[in-house]
PDB file of all heavy atoms in Angstrom:
ATOM      1  N   LEU Q1278      20.445  46.020  89.745  1.00  0.00           N
ATOM      2  CA  LEU Q1278      20.461  45.530  88.354  1.00  0.00           C
ATOM      3  C   LEU Q1278      20.290  44.007  88.302  1.00  0.00           C
ATOM      4  O   LEU Q1278      19.660  43.495  87.386  1.00  0.00           O
ATOM      5  CB  LEU Q1278      21.763  45.960  87.759  1.00  0.00           C
ATOM      6  CG  LEU Q1278      21.910  47.465  87.472  1.00  0.00           C
ATOM      7  CD1 LEU Q1278      23.303  47.747  86.928  1.00  0.00           C
ATOM      8  CD2 LEU Q1278      20.836  47.939  86.498  1.00  0.00           C
ATOM      9  N   GLY Q1279      20.892  43.314  89.281  1.00  0.00           N
ATOM     10  CA  GLY Q1279      20.727  41.823  89.337  1.00  0.00           C
ATOM     11  C   GLY Q1279      19.348  41.443  89.501  1.00  0.00           C
ATOM     12  O   GLY Q1279      18.852  40.466  88.937  1.00  0.00           O
ATOM     13  N   SER Q1280      18.603  42.138  90.376  1.00  0.00           N
ATOM     14  CA  SER Q1280      17.130  41.868  90.601  1.00  0.00           C
ATOM     15  C   SER Q1280      16.367  42.119  89.338  1.00  0.00           C
ATOM     16  O   SER Q1280      15.466  41.316  88.969  1.00  0.00           O
ATOM     17  CB  SER Q1280      16.617  42.733  91.764  1.00  0.00           C
ATOM     18  OG  SER Q1280      17.331  42.587  92.979  1.00  0.00           O
ATOM     19  N   VAL Q1281      16.628  43.212  88.668  1.00  0.00           N
ATOM     20  CA  VAL Q1281      15.933  43.456  87.377  1.00  0.00           C
ATOM     21  C   VAL Q1281      16.176  42.403  86.331  1.00  0.00           C
ATOM     22  O   VAL Q1281      15.343  42.016  85.593  1.00  0.00           O
ATOM     23  CB  VAL Q1281      16.291  44.835  86.886  1.00  0.00           C
ATOM     24  CG1 VAL Q1281      15.674  45.088  85.454  1.00  0.00           C
ATOM     25  CG2 VAL Q1281      15.864  45.935  87.765  1.00  0.00           C
ATOM     26  N   ALA Q1282      17.468  41.946  86.303  1.00  0.00           N
ATOM     27  CA  ALA Q1282      17.793  40.843  85.364  1.00  0.00           C
ATOM     28  C   ALA Q1282      17.028  39.538  85.613  1.00  0.00           C
ATOM     29  O   ALA Q1282      16.587  38.927  84.662  1.00  0.00           O
ATOM     30  CB  ALA Q1282      19.352  40.627  85.445  1.00  0.00           C
ATOM     31  N   VAL Q1283      16.831  39.264  86.892  1.00  0.00           N
ATOM     32  CA  VAL Q1283      16.100  38.097  87.241  1.00  0.00           C
ATOM     33  C   VAL Q1283      14.590  38.212  86.809  1.00  0.00           C
ATOM     34  O   VAL Q1283      14.010  37.339  86.252  1.00  0.00           O
ATOM     35  CB  VAL Q1283      16.150  37.817  88.758  1.00  0.00           C
ATOM     36  CG1 VAL Q1283      15.169  36.728  89.217  1.00  0.00           C
ATOM     37  CG2 VAL Q1283      17.568  37.407  89.155  1.00  0.00           C
ATOM     38  N   ILE Q1284      14.052  39.419  87.005  1.00  0.00           N
ATOM     39  CA  ILE Q1284      12.682  39.673  86.658  1.00  0.00           C
ATOM     40  C   ILE Q1284      12.529  39.548  85.119  1.00  0.00           C
ATOM     41  O   ILE Q1284      11.568  38.956  84.643  1.00  0.00           O
ATOM     42  CB  ILE Q1284      12.250  41.086  87.099  1.00  0.00           C
ATOM     43  CG1 ILE Q1284      12.173  41.144  88.655  1.00  0.00           C
ATOM     44  CG2 ILE Q1284      10.895  41.446  86.542  1.00  0.00           C
ATOM     45  CD1 ILE Q1284      11.926  42.539  89.234  1.00  0.00           C
ATOM     46  N   LEU Q1285      13.485  40.151  84.342  1.00  0.00           N
ATOM     47  CA  LEU Q1285      13.429  39.983  82.895  1.00  0.00           C
ATOM     48  C   LEU Q1285      13.512  38.536  82.456  1.00  0.00           C
ATOM     49  O   LEU Q1285      12.782  38.105  81.510  1.00  0.00           O
ATOM     50  CB  LEU Q1285      14.497  40.813  82.230  1.00  0.00           C
ATOM     51  CG  LEU Q1285      14.310  42.339  82.210  1.00  0.00           C
ATOM     52  CD1 LEU Q1285      15.560  43.033  81.675  1.00  0.00           C
ATOM     53  CD2 LEU Q1285      13.118  42.696  81.363  1.00  0.00           C
ATOM     54  N   SER Q1286      14.373  37.776  83.086  1.00  0.00           N
ATOM     55  CA  SER Q1286      14.546  36.374  82.674  1.00  0.00           C
ATOM     56  C   SER Q1286      13.249  35.627  82.965  1.00  0.00           C
ATOM     57  O   SER Q1286      12.800  34.781  82.123  1.00  0.00           O
ATOM     58  CB  SER Q1286      15.715  35.726  83.510  1.00  0.00           C
ATOM     59  OG  SER Q1286      16.910  36.419  83.267  1.00  0.00           O
ATOM     60  N   VAL Q1287      12.657  35.821  84.114  1.00  0.00           N
ATOM     61  CA  VAL Q1287      11.334  35.179  84.420  1.00  0.00           C
ATOM     62  C   VAL Q1287      10.304  35.547  83.376  1.00  0.00           C
ATOM     63  O   VAL Q1287       9.460  34.787  82.978  1.00  0.00           O
ATOM     64  CB  VAL Q1287      10.900  35.523  85.813  1.00  0.00           C
ATOM     65  CG1 VAL Q1287       9.503  34.994  86.120  1.00  0.00           C
ATOM     66  CG2 VAL Q1287      11.904  34.913  86.878  1.00  0.00           C
ATOM     67  N   ARG Q1288      10.272  36.851  83.032  1.00  0.00           N
ATOM     68  CA  ARG Q1288       9.233  37.322  82.073  1.00  0.00           C
ATOM     69  C   ARG Q1288       9.461  36.665  80.697  1.00  0.00           C
ATOM     70  O   ARG Q1288       8.457  36.289  80.062  1.00  0.00           O
ATOM     71  CB  ARG Q1288       9.360  38.825  81.912  1.00  0.00           C
ATOM     72  CG  ARG Q1288       8.415  39.504  80.981  1.00  0.00           C
ATOM     73  CD  ARG Q1288       6.954  39.146  81.328  1.00  0.00           C
ATOM     74  NE  ARG Q1288       6.072  39.731  80.389  1.00  0.00           N
ATOM     75  CZ  ARG Q1288       4.764  39.406  80.233  1.00  0.00           C
ATOM     76  NH1 ARG Q1288       4.274  38.447  80.998  1.00  0.00           N
ATOM     77  NH2 ARG Q1288       4.002  40.023  79.377  1.00  0.00           N
ATOM     78  N   ILE Q1289      10.693  36.573  80.263  1.00  0.00           N
ATOM     79  CA  ILE Q1289      10.953  35.943  78.966  1.00  0.00           C
ATOM     80  C   ILE Q1289      10.525  34.437  78.960  1.00  0.00           C
ATOM     81  O   ILE Q1289       9.896  33.920  78.106  1.00  0.00           O
ATOM     82  CB  ILE Q1289      12.441  36.045  78.585  1.00  0.00           C
ATOM     83  CG1 ILE Q1289      12.780  37.523  78.231  1.00  0.00           C
ATOM     84  CG2 ILE Q1289      12.821  35.170  77.417  1.00  0.00           C
ATOM     85  CD1 ILE Q1289      14.206  37.743  78.047  1.00  0.00           C
ATOM     86  N   LEU Q1290      10.853  33.802  80.077  1.00  0.00           N
ATOM     87  CA  LEU Q1290      10.510  32.412  80.253  1.00  0.00           C
ATOM     88  C   LEU Q1290       8.982  32.233  80.276  1.00  0.00           C
ATOM     89  O   LEU Q1290       8.380  31.306  79.695  1.00  0.00           O
ATOM     90  CB  LEU Q1290      11.101  31.837  81.530  1.00  0.00           C
ATOM     91  CG  LEU Q1290      10.885  30.312  81.844  1.00  0.00           C
ATOM     92  CD1 LEU Q1290      11.455  29.485  80.677  1.00  0.00           C
ATOM     93  CD2 LEU Q1290      11.416  29.919  83.164  1.00  0.00           C
ATOM     94  N   THR Q1291       8.310  33.121  80.892  1.00  0.00           N
ATOM     95  CA  THR Q1291       6.801  33.097  81.002  1.00  0.00           C
ATOM     96  C   THR Q1291       6.187  33.241  79.575  1.00  0.00           C
ATOM     97  O   THR Q1291       5.241  32.530  79.258  1.00  0.00           O
ATOM     98  CB  THR Q1291       6.286  34.206  81.874  1.00  0.00           C
ATOM     99  OG1 THR Q1291       6.855  34.068  83.193  1.00  0.00           O
ATOM    100  CG2 THR Q1291       4.798  34.107  82.028  1.00  0.00           C
ATOM    101  N   ILE Q1292       6.767  34.174  78.817  1.00  0.00           N
ATOM    102  CA  ILE Q1292       6.225  34.399  77.438  1.00  0.00           C
ATOM    103  C   ILE Q1292       6.425  33.108  76.635  1.00  0.00           C
ATOM    104  O   ILE Q1292       5.533  32.704  75.881  1.00  0.00           O
ATOM    105  CB  ILE Q1292       6.994  35.591  76.850  1.00  0.00           C
ATOM    106  CG1 ILE Q1292       6.561  36.885  77.537  1.00  0.00           C
ATOM    107  CG2 ILE Q1292       6.614  35.737  75.338  1.00  0.00           C
ATOM    108  CD1 ILE Q1292       7.347  38.077  77.022  1.00  0.00           C
ATOM    109  N   LEU Q1293       7.572  32.538  76.711  1.00  0.00           N
ATOM    110  CA  LEU Q1293       7.871  31.314  75.927  1.00  0.00           C
ATOM    111  C   LEU Q1293       6.906  30.175  76.286  1.00  0.00           C
ATOM    112  O   LEU Q1293       6.405  29.496  75.473  1.00  0.00           O
ATOM    113  CB  LEU Q1293       9.342  30.927  76.078  1.00  0.00           C
ATOM    114  CG  LEU Q1293      10.353  31.905  75.444  1.00  0.00           C
ATOM    115  CD1 LEU Q1293      11.743  31.444  75.815  1.00  0.00           C
ATOM    116  CD2 LEU Q1293      10.129  31.912  73.957  1.00  0.00           C
ATOM    117  N   VAL Q1294       6.759  29.995  77.610  1.00  0.00           N
ATOM    118  CA  VAL Q1294       5.947  28.869  78.129  1.00  0.00           C
ATOM    119  C   VAL Q1294       4.515  29.031  77.721  1.00  0.00           C
ATOM    120  O   VAL Q1294       3.883  28.132  77.097  1.00  0.00           O
ATOM    121  CB  VAL Q1294       6.026  28.717  79.657  1.00  0.00           C
ATOM    122  CG1 VAL Q1294       4.973  27.773  80.162  1.00  0.00           C
ATOM    123  CG2 VAL Q1294       7.470  28.308  80.049  1.00  0.00           C
ATOM    124  N   PHE Q1295       3.983  30.236  77.953  1.00  0.00           N
ATOM    125  CA  PHE Q1295       2.504  30.422  77.589  1.00  0.00           C
ATOM    126  C   PHE Q1295       2.311  30.470  76.031  1.00  0.00           C
ATOM    127  O   PHE Q1295       1.322  30.086  75.554  1.00  0.00           O
ATOM    128  CB  PHE Q1295       2.019  31.746  78.187  1.00  0.00           C
ATOM    129  CG  PHE Q1295       1.654  31.548  79.650  1.00  0.00           C
ATOM    130  CD1 PHE Q1295       2.519  31.944  80.662  1.00  0.00           C
ATOM    131  CD2 PHE Q1295       0.415  31.028  79.989  1.00  0.00           C
ATOM    132  CE1 PHE Q1295       2.204  31.716  81.932  1.00  0.00           C
ATOM    133  CE2 PHE Q1295       0.035  30.853  81.334  1.00  0.00           C
ATOM    134  CZ  PHE Q1295       0.940  31.191  82.342  1.00  0.00           C
ATOM    135  N   GLY Q1296       3.362  30.943  75.347  1.00  0.00           N
ATOM    136  CA  GLY Q1296       3.265  30.953  73.938  1.00  0.00           C
ATOM    137  C   GLY Q1296       3.249  29.534  73.362  1.00  0.00           C
ATOM    138  O   GLY Q1296       2.435  29.226  72.425  1.00  0.00           O
ATOM    139  N   MET Q1297       4.156  28.656  73.810  1.00  0.00           N
ATOM    140  CA  MET Q1297       4.191  27.343  73.352  1.00  0.00           C
ATOM    141  C   MET Q1297       2.882  26.580  73.754  1.00  0.00           C
ATOM    142  O   MET Q1297       2.591  25.549  73.181  1.00  0.00           O
ATOM    143  CB  MET Q1297       5.449  26.621  73.927  1.00  0.00           C
ATOM    144  CG  MET Q1297       6.727  27.125  73.225  1.00  0.00           C
ATOM    145  SD  MET Q1297       8.175  26.148  73.696  1.00  0.00           S
ATOM    146  CE  MET Q1297       8.326  26.608  75.482  1.00  0.00           C
ATOM    147  N   ALA Q1298       2.241  27.015  74.819  1.00  0.00           N
ATOM    148  CA  ALA Q1298       1.029  26.390  75.331  1.00  0.00           C
ATOM    149  C   ALA Q1298      -0.168  26.836  74.504  1.00  0.00           C
ATOM    150  O   ALA Q1298      -1.321  26.328  74.655  1.00  0.00           O
ATOM    151  CB  ALA Q1298       0.766  26.703  76.794  1.00  0.00           C
ATOM    152  N   GLY Q1299       0.014  27.735  73.507  1.00  0.00           N
ATOM    153  CA  GLY Q1299      -1.024  28.115  72.623  1.00  0.00           C
ATOM    154  C   GLY Q1299      -1.820  29.362  72.956  1.00  0.00           C
ATOM    155  O   GLY Q1299      -2.884  29.635  72.455  1.00  0.00           O
ATOM    156  N   TYR Q1300      -1.284  30.096  73.960  1.00  0.00           N
ATOM    157  CA  TYR Q1300      -1.992  31.317  74.470  1.00  0.00           C
ATOM    158  C   TYR Q1300      -1.644  32.589  73.595  1.00  0.00           C
ATOM    159  O   TYR Q1300      -2.159  33.578  73.812  1.00  0.00           O
ATOM    160  CB  TYR Q1300      -1.729  31.619  75.882  1.00  0.00           C
ATOM    161  CG  TYR Q1300      -2.285  30.575  76.831  1.00  0.00           C
ATOM    162  CD1 TYR Q1300      -1.547  29.543  77.358  1.00  0.00           C
ATOM    163  CD2 TYR Q1300      -3.678  30.733  77.124  1.00  0.00           C
ATOM    164  CE1 TYR Q1300      -2.157  28.624  78.116  1.00  0.00           C
ATOM    165  CE2 TYR Q1300      -4.211  29.816  77.944  1.00  0.00           C
ATOM    166  CZ  TYR Q1300      -3.423  28.730  78.525  1.00  0.00           C
ATOM    167  OH  TYR Q1300      -4.032  27.862  79.346  1.00  0.00           O
ATOM    168  N   ASP Q1301      -0.766  32.438  72.668  1.00  0.00           N
ATOM    169  CA  ASP Q1301      -0.342  33.593  71.871  1.00  0.00           C
ATOM    170  C   ASP Q1301       0.103  33.117  70.420  1.00  0.00           C
ATOM    171  O   ASP Q1301       0.455  31.901  70.290  1.00  0.00           O
ATOM    172  CB  ASP Q1301       0.808  34.349  72.517  1.00  0.00           C
ATOM    173  CG  ASP Q1301       0.702  35.785  72.267  1.00  0.00           C
ATOM    174  OD1 ASP Q1301       0.127  36.258  71.257  1.00  0.00           O
ATOM    175  OD2 ASP Q1301       1.329  36.641  73.086  1.00  0.00           O
ATOM    176  N   THR Q1302       0.231  34.024  69.504  1.00  0.00           N
ATOM    177  CA  THR Q1302       0.679  33.697  68.190  1.00  0.00           C
ATOM    178  C   THR Q1302       2.237  33.734  68.105  1.00  0.00           C
ATOM    179  O   THR Q1302       2.852  34.440  68.908  1.00  0.00           O
ATOM    180  CB  THR Q1302       0.186  34.727  67.159  1.00  0.00           C
ATOM    181  OG1 THR Q1302       0.696  36.014  67.511  1.00  0.00           O
ATOM    182  CG2 THR Q1302      -1.399  34.732  67.194  1.00  0.00           C
ATOM    183  N   PRO Q1303       2.810  32.912  67.282  1.00  0.00           N
ATOM    184  CA  PRO Q1303       4.367  32.897  67.180  1.00  0.00           C
ATOM    185  C   PRO Q1303       4.911  34.266  66.839  1.00  0.00           C
ATOM    186  O   PRO Q1303       5.938  34.579  67.373  1.00  0.00           O
ATOM    187  CB  PRO Q1303       4.576  31.938  66.020  1.00  0.00           C
ATOM    188  CG  PRO Q1303       3.358  31.028  66.004  1.00  0.00           C
ATOM    189  CD  PRO Q1303       2.220  31.892  66.371  1.00  0.00           C
ATOM    190  N   ARG Q1304       4.238  35.059  66.031  1.00  0.00           N
ATOM    191  CA  ARG Q1304       4.713  36.396  65.690  1.00  0.00           C
ATOM    192  C   ARG Q1304       4.752  37.290  66.909  1.00  0.00           C
ATOM    193  O   ARG Q1304       5.698  38.016  67.156  1.00  0.00           O
ATOM    194  CB  ARG Q1304       3.872  37.000  64.557  1.00  0.00           C
ATOM    195  CG  ARG Q1304       4.365  38.353  64.096  1.00  0.00           C
ATOM    196  CD  ARG Q1304       3.454  38.873  62.964  1.00  0.00           C
ATOM    197  NE  ARG Q1304       3.893  40.213  62.529  1.00  0.00           N
ATOM    198  CZ  ARG Q1304       3.385  40.862  61.556  1.00  0.00           C
ATOM    199  NH1 ARG Q1304       2.282  40.375  60.913  1.00  0.00           N
ATOM    200  NH2 ARG Q1304       3.829  42.053  61.253  1.00  0.00           N
ATOM    201  N   HIS Q1305       3.667  37.264  67.691  1.00  0.00           N
ATOM    202  CA  HIS Q1305       3.636  38.063  68.887  1.00  0.00           C
ATOM    203  C   HIS Q1305       4.622  37.633  69.932  1.00  0.00           C
ATOM    204  O   HIS Q1305       5.250  38.430  70.551  1.00  0.00           O
ATOM    205  CB  HIS Q1305       2.203  38.003  69.479  1.00  0.00           C
ATOM    206  CG  HIS Q1305       1.946  39.021  70.540  1.00  0.00           C
ATOM    207  ND1 HIS Q1305       1.002  38.861  71.562  1.00  0.00           N
ATOM    208  CD2 HIS Q1305       2.508  40.254  70.767  1.00  0.00           C
ATOM    209  CE1 HIS Q1305       1.044  39.915  72.328  1.00  0.00           C
ATOM    210  NE2 HIS Q1305       1.922  40.817  71.899  1.00  0.00           N
ATOM    211  N   ILE Q1306       4.835  36.299  70.000  1.00  0.00           N
ATOM    212  CA  ILE Q1306       5.889  35.774  70.925  1.00  0.00           C
ATOM    213  C   ILE Q1306       7.245  36.332  70.554  1.00  0.00           C
ATOM    214  O   ILE Q1306       8.035  36.804  71.414  1.00  0.00           O
ATOM    215  CB  ILE Q1306       5.865  34.272  70.871  1.00  0.00           C
ATOM    216  CG1 ILE Q1306       4.507  33.733  71.495  1.00  0.00           C
ATOM    217  CG2 ILE Q1306       7.059  33.701  71.695  1.00  0.00           C
ATOM    218  CD1 ILE Q1306       4.340  32.233  71.287  1.00  0.00           C
ATOM    219  N   ARG Q1307       7.638  36.233  69.241  1.00  0.00           N
ATOM    220  CA  ARG Q1307       8.884  36.716  68.790  1.00  0.00           C
ATOM    221  C   ARG Q1307       9.079  38.257  69.116  1.00  0.00           C
ATOM    222  O   ARG Q1307      10.140  38.643  69.476  1.00  0.00           O
ATOM    223  CB  ARG Q1307       9.066  36.421  67.288  1.00  0.00           C
ATOM    224  CG  ARG Q1307       9.264  34.947  66.960  1.00  0.00           C
ATOM    225  CD  ARG Q1307       9.781  34.811  65.530  1.00  0.00           C
ATOM    226  NE  ARG Q1307       8.762  35.300  64.591  1.00  0.00           N
ATOM    227  CZ  ARG Q1307       7.877  34.550  64.028  1.00  0.00           C
ATOM    228  NH1 ARG Q1307       7.733  33.269  64.311  1.00  0.00           N
ATOM    229  NH2 ARG Q1307       7.012  35.101  63.136  1.00  0.00           N
ATOM    230  N   TYR Q1308       7.977  38.982  68.875  1.00  0.00           N
ATOM    231  CA  TYR Q1308       8.069  40.420  69.150  1.00  0.00           C
ATOM    232  C   TYR Q1308       8.342  40.701  70.610  1.00  0.00           C
ATOM    233  O   TYR Q1308       9.202  41.588  70.964  1.00  0.00           O
ATOM    234  CB  TYR Q1308       6.732  41.065  68.667  1.00  0.00           C
ATOM    235  CG  TYR Q1308       6.693  42.547  69.011  1.00  0.00           C
ATOM    236  CD1 TYR Q1308       7.412  43.502  68.170  1.00  0.00           C
ATOM    237  CD2 TYR Q1308       5.889  42.980  69.995  1.00  0.00           C
ATOM    238  CE1 TYR Q1308       7.361  44.826  68.496  1.00  0.00           C
ATOM    239  CE2 TYR Q1308       5.840  44.397  70.292  1.00  0.00           C
ATOM    240  CZ  TYR Q1308       6.531  45.248  69.506  1.00  0.00           C
ATOM    241  OH  TYR Q1308       6.482  46.620  69.825  1.00  0.00           O
ATOM    242  N   GLN Q1309       7.665  40.062  71.490  1.00  0.00           N
ATOM    243  CA  GLN Q1309       7.788  40.273  72.871  1.00  0.00           C
ATOM    244  C   GLN Q1309       9.169  39.823  73.388  1.00  0.00           C
ATOM    245  O   GLN Q1309       9.790  40.569  74.163  1.00  0.00           O
ATOM    246  CB  GLN Q1309       6.685  39.578  73.635  1.00  0.00           C
ATOM    247  CG  GLN Q1309       5.338  40.257  73.542  1.00  0.00           C
ATOM    248  CD  GLN Q1309       4.312  39.514  74.433  1.00  0.00           C
ATOM    249  OE1 GLN Q1309       4.283  38.275  74.606  1.00  0.00           O
ATOM    250  NE2 GLN Q1309       3.407  40.279  75.033  1.00  0.00           N
ATOM    251  N   VAL Q1310       9.598  38.641  72.949  1.00  0.00           N
ATOM    252  CA  VAL Q1310      10.879  38.161  73.331  1.00  0.00           C
ATOM    253  C   VAL Q1310      11.999  39.068  72.836  1.00  0.00           C
ATOM    254  O   VAL Q1310      12.952  39.365  73.538  1.00  0.00           O
ATOM    255  CB  VAL Q1310      11.114  36.740  72.760  1.00  0.00           C
ATOM    256  CG1 VAL Q1310      12.593  36.338  72.988  1.00  0.00           C
ATOM    257  CG2 VAL Q1310      10.167  35.804  73.515  1.00  0.00           C
ATOM    258  N   ALA Q1311      11.844  39.632  71.618  1.00  0.00           N
ATOM    259  CA  ALA Q1311      12.893  40.566  71.056  1.00  0.00           C
ATOM    260  C   ALA Q1311      13.004  41.854  71.925  1.00  0.00           C
ATOM    261  O   ALA Q1311      14.012  42.318  72.174  1.00  0.00           O
ATOM    262  CB  ALA Q1311      12.518  40.861  69.589  1.00  0.00           C
ATOM    263  N   GLN Q1312      11.822  42.327  72.322  1.00  0.00           N
ATOM    264  CA  GLN Q1312      11.836  43.474  73.156  1.00  0.00           C
ATOM    265  C   GLN Q1312      12.541  43.276  74.503  1.00  0.00           C
ATOM    266  O   GLN Q1312      13.443  44.051  74.897  1.00  0.00           O
ATOM    267  CB  GLN Q1312      10.355  43.993  73.473  1.00  0.00           C
ATOM    268  CG  GLN Q1312       9.698  44.780  72.332  1.00  0.00           C
ATOM    269  CD  GLN Q1312       8.400  45.290  72.741  1.00  0.00           C
ATOM    270  OE1 GLN Q1312       7.632  44.623  73.442  1.00  0.00           O
ATOM    271  NE2 GLN Q1312       8.103  46.569  72.317  1.00  0.00           N
ATOM    272  N   PHE Q1313      12.164  42.223  75.185  1.00  0.00           N
ATOM    273  CA  PHE Q1313      12.818  41.912  76.510  1.00  0.00           C
ATOM    274  C   PHE Q1313      14.281  41.553  76.297  1.00  0.00           C
ATOM    275  O   PHE Q1313      15.055  41.840  77.167  1.00  0.00           O
ATOM    276  CB  PHE Q1313      12.038  40.783  77.172  1.00  0.00           C
ATOM    277  CG  PHE Q1313      10.800  41.268  77.826  1.00  0.00           C
ATOM    278  CD1 PHE Q1313       9.539  40.961  77.223  1.00  0.00           C
ATOM    279  CD2 PHE Q1313      10.785  41.995  78.971  1.00  0.00           C
ATOM    280  CE1 PHE Q1313       8.364  41.377  77.841  1.00  0.00           C
ATOM    281  CE2 PHE Q1313       9.623  42.446  79.551  1.00  0.00           C
ATOM    282  CZ  PHE Q1313       8.355  42.131  78.990  1.00  0.00           C
TER     283      PHE Q1313
END
């Protein structure tokens, strides 16, 4: 479970970084972050 938590954290951080860099729309970013 600790390993999965680390993977989820990295995934959320990746979404935020690439979203802020302009690779995704704010709405899509919020949707993905909410899911994770």
Side-chain angles (χ1 to χ4, degrees):
L1278 291 176
S1280 301
V1281 174
V1283 171
I1284 294 174
L1285 282 176
S1286 300
V1287 172
R1288 179 57 179 163
I1289 292 175
L1290 182 61
T1291 302
I1292 292 173
L1293 291 174
V1294 170
F1295 280 97
M1297 288 186 293
Y1300 290 100
D1301 214 338
T1302 62
R1304 183 177 180 181
H1305 192 206
I1306 294 171
R1307 289 195 297 269
Y1308 176 75
Q1309 288 185 321
V1310 170
Q1312 280 189 318
F1313 283 104

